[in-house]
Amino acid sequence: MNTHRATSTQEAHPWRSVLRTFVAAAVGVALAWLVRVLGVDLTPLSESIINSITAAAWAVGTALVQWLLTRPWAQPFLEAIGLGTGVHTEARALAENVQRSHGDA
């Protein structure tokens, strides 16, 4: 009987998952800062509208980076800098364990 189950990236690499979240949030903050400081002159707008635009830029930037972090074509680069999911190596190890357990039976 096969009792193996797939392990999520968050379970297998919790600190890597946290680090990826902070990277995405930092990019969002940087984008929001760029919008606020270097972007279009928003001086005539009220402060609350400026804050809303800045928050929207942060949300869009963070979501875009989170999406990019999940793309399969980005994984080789992310693995090289320590932010990869590692899922492909876990799947390979699971397959080897299953094959070994069937070979031993």
Side-chain angles (χ1 to χ4, degrees):
M1 181 167 141
N2 186 0
T3 59
H4 299 288
R5 75 171 184 87
T7 303
S8 71
T9 302
Q10 290 81 7
E11 289 175 307
H13 309 287
W15 285 109
R16 193 179 290 182
S17 179
V18 169
L19 184 59
R20 289 165 60 101
T21 300
F22 276 110
V23 166
V27 170
V29 167
L31 181 61
W33 177 80
L34 286 172
V35 165
R36 190 167 190 105
V37 174
L38 303 175
V40 178
D41 183 17
L42 302 174
T43 308
L45 300 176
S46 74
E47 189 67 24
S48 61
I49 292 174
I50 293 171
N51 291 339
S52 295
I53 292 171
T54 303
W58 173 82
V60 168
T62 301
L64 178 63
V65 172
Q66 284 288 63
W67 178 81
L68 288 172
L69 288 171
T70 64
R71 301 297 90 196
W73 49 263
Q75 292 311 306
F77 170 74
L78 294 171
E79 288 291 333
I81 63 171
L83 292 177
T85 62
V87 171
H88 63 285
T89 58
E90 293 161 11
R92 189 178 315 123
L94 178 62
E96 289 170 0
N97 285 340
V98 168
Q99 185 178 15
R100 219 174 299 130
S101 68
H102 289 296
D104 293 343

